[in-house]
Amino acid sequence: MIMYNTTIGVAAGAALILVPRYWAWLRNERMPLRLVRAPADHHGWAAAFGVLGLLLTGLGGTMTVTHPLAEAKPYIDTIFGEPALMLGVLLLAAAWRISRSKPVLDPDRLPDALGPVGVIVFILGLVMTWCTLAIVRFDVISAAPSEEPITGLLHHHPAIENTFFAVVLYGPAALGCLLFPFAARPGSRRSWQVLYWAWTVAGIGFALFSAMNFYTYTGMVVNLTDGSHFRW
């Protein structure tokens, strides 16, 4: 079983955590739940976005063009791989742009810098919204196999994992994307704050859940191959 959603999820989560914090630095706004210290050199941001963009573009692109990647859930390519590819390319573009010029620290000039990309991010928000609805309507995530540690304990309760993905991961990520062009406008403090927290919640959720999957997927493979059925 070939899956890349562990590394993709961690990278996407890191991006959703870092992007609003970089934006807060540009806006000279306070960073609630700071998590990272804003570097004085903007090339540090470019390097971080470049690394994450390479991972998401490479792995998301592979997922997108290799269909079906996973026989168990062939639709995971569309729900997970394609949005990751879009995010990866956006991050690469951001890294290139940041590395070639000094950051725009005047909030009133941000709409000029973010206007065109805001359209793309908004469309990505539409994609994520429909992905969220698909997760809810078609039981896309479903339940982990009983052989998988931790999440496998919810094997008989598929609605729990589906709800978690829709409410904590995809839904907030979609909301932040839809608010992006409005948050870029001068004086748009309320929409920017909602975006900040929506992406923070989704980013932390993606990062922690996907990091845990390195353990749970390993345990599942062990349980399926040697029949020992280790749980923890």
Side-chain angles (χ1 to χ4, degrees):
M1 180 176 62
I2 304 172
M3 294 288 283
Y4 305 124
N5 56 343
T6 43
T7 302
I8 288 178
V10 170
L16 290 169
I17 291 171
L18 288 176
V19 169
R21 280 150 183 81
Y22 176 68
W23 199 348
W25 180 53
L26 293 181
R27 291 173 59 108
N28 197 26
E29 294 271 3
R30 186 177 67 89
M31 293 187 201
L33 196 62
R34 177 181 290 269
L35 298 180
V36 295
R37 181 179 296 277
D41 185 354
H42 63 281
H43 290 290
W45 292 104
F49 294 154
V51 168
L52 296 174
L54 283 173
L55 286 172
L56 289 167
T57 301
L59 297 179
T62 302
M63 260 188 131
T64 298
V65 301
T66 309
H67 186 84
L69 182 66
E71 294 182 3
K73 295 182 179 181
Y75 43 77
I76 203 70
D77 306 6
T78 303
I79 295 293
F80 205 76
E82 294 186 33
L85 173 60
M86 296 176 67
L87 176 58
V89 174
L90 284 170
L91 287 170
L92 287 178
W96 177 83
R97 179 67 175 83
I98 294 169
S99 66
R100 290 180 60 86
S101 61
K102 292 183 179 180
V104 180
L105 294 176
D106 182 357
D108 293 331
R109 294 178 57 195
L110 281 177
D112 295 333
L114 299 176
V117 75
V119 176
I120 302 174
V121 176
F122 181 83
I123 294 173
L124 178 56
L126 294 178
V127 170
M128 293 296 290
T129 298
W130 286 110
C131 288
T132 303
L133 294 175
I135 289 171
V136 174
R137 175 65 179 84
F138 301 114
D139 189 27
V140 168
I141 305 303
S142 191
S146 58
E147 292 83 6
E148 184 172 341
I150 302 178
T151 49
L153 297 174
L154 300 174
H155 176 67
H156 298 294
H157 305 281
I160 294 178
E161 198 162 347
N162 265 313
T163 301
F164 171 77
F165 266 76
V167 175
V168 179
L169 305 184
Y170 276 72
L175 177 61
C177 290
L178 293 174
L179 288 174
F180 189 97
F182 306 100
R185 295 175 180 176
S188 58
R189 184 170 178 79
R190 181 58 60 84
S191 58
W192 182 83
Q193 287 178 328
V194 175
L195 179 152
Y196 184 95
W197 282 110
W199 278 356
T200 295
V201 169
I204 293 174
F206 267 115
L208 293 181
F209 186 82
S210 300
M212 179 190 69
N213 283 160
F214 281 92
Y215 172 84
T216 63
Y217 285 1
T218 302
M220 178 179 64
V221 172
V222 169
N223 287 333
L224 288 172
T225 53
D226 71 5
S228 298
H229 294 290
F230 295 103
R231 290 302 178 185
W232 291 88

